[in-house]
Amino acid sequence: MDGAERLTPRLRIRRLTPADAGFIVELLNQPDFLRHIGDRGARDEHQANGWLRSGPLASYARDGSGLHAVELRGTGTAIGICGLLQRDWLPAPDLGFAYLPAWYGQGYAREAAEAMLEDARACGIGRVLAIVSPDNERSTGLLRRLGMREAGTVLAPHSDDPLLLFETPGG
């Protein structure tokens, strides 16, 4: 998704901005985020802005893609993040996502992820990966429902904990 915004039937997916710092503090400090993704050290809006600058905003400038805010179309309520990441230690872009627990189980994560995968195909990206903690059953279930298949394990830099690697069919 190289544009600033993508609409789905229920969602608005847009680039993150410094104005999202309060939401980012809430999201990045959820117990599930800390357990399955890791501590990003964003305890206040100042630290969240640092994470935004060094993460999503830098990714947009460098790669033209990255994590995006996922909002409800009707209210503009931010419920999560989703997007394609270009990690230098993976051979293809990977799908990343995280949501606030209040929005689990309502199909929003799948709707946003499907939109990101459609955009990837439209841009000629034939292979998309995803990495996930082996004990993150919610995320592995979503990846399977998206039609992605397990493709082994991978170690992130500076980590001894293997992550499950998923890929789109034909990858």
Side-chain angles (χ1 to χ4, degrees):
M1 186 175 112
D2 57 3
E5 178 175 280
R6 172 75 145 83
L7 298 176
T8 70
R10 302 182 299 162
L11 303 170
R12 176 180 177 230
I13 305 166
R14 60 160 179 83
R15 287 188 170 188
L16 289 157
T17 72
D20 294 307
F23 163 69
I24 291 301
V25 169
E26 181 182 6
L27 180 67
L28 271 53
N29 289 287
Q30 291 296 319
D32 282 348
F33 191 100
L34 294 168
R35 178 172 162 224
H36 296 298
I37 299 172
D39 188 348
R40 299 301 186 247
R43 301 291 183 267
D44 58 34
E45 290 190 19
H46 175 75
Q47 292 171 332
N49 269 310
W51 179 83
L52 285 163
R53 279 192 306 278
S54 66
L57 302 181
S59 181
Y60 304 153
R62 182 184 61 245
D63 306 319
S65 63
L67 293 170
H68 289 69
V70 178
E71 300 176 335
L72 299 178
R73 277 183 74 170
T75 64
T77 301
I79 64 170
I81 54 177
C82 185
L84 293 179
L85 302 157
Q86 302 284 330
R87 299 181 204 267
D88 60 5
W89 51 276
L90 288 175
D94 78 287
L95 177 67
F97 51 86
Y99 289 84
L100 294 172
W103 306 102
Y104 289 178
Q106 299 177 51
Y108 295 120
R110 183 173 182 170
E111 188 173 325
E114 286 174 341
M116 293 294 101
L117 293 173
E118 286 172 13
D119 288 351
R121 284 189 295 276
C123 291
I125 299 171
R127 181 182 189 209
V128 175
L129 305 174
I131 51 174
V132 62
S133 297
D135 64 342
N136 190 341
E137 294 174 11
R138 183 174 294 280
S139 291
T140 56
L142 172 60
L143 295 172
R144 287 185 180 104
R145 286 189 300 280
L146 290 168
M148 297 182 84
R149 63 173 188 202
E150 283 190 56
T153 60
V154 65
L155 286 176
H158 314 294
S159 175
D160 295 326
D161 298 323
L163 298 168
L164 294 178
L165 180 68
F166 283 75
E167 67 182 358
T168 51

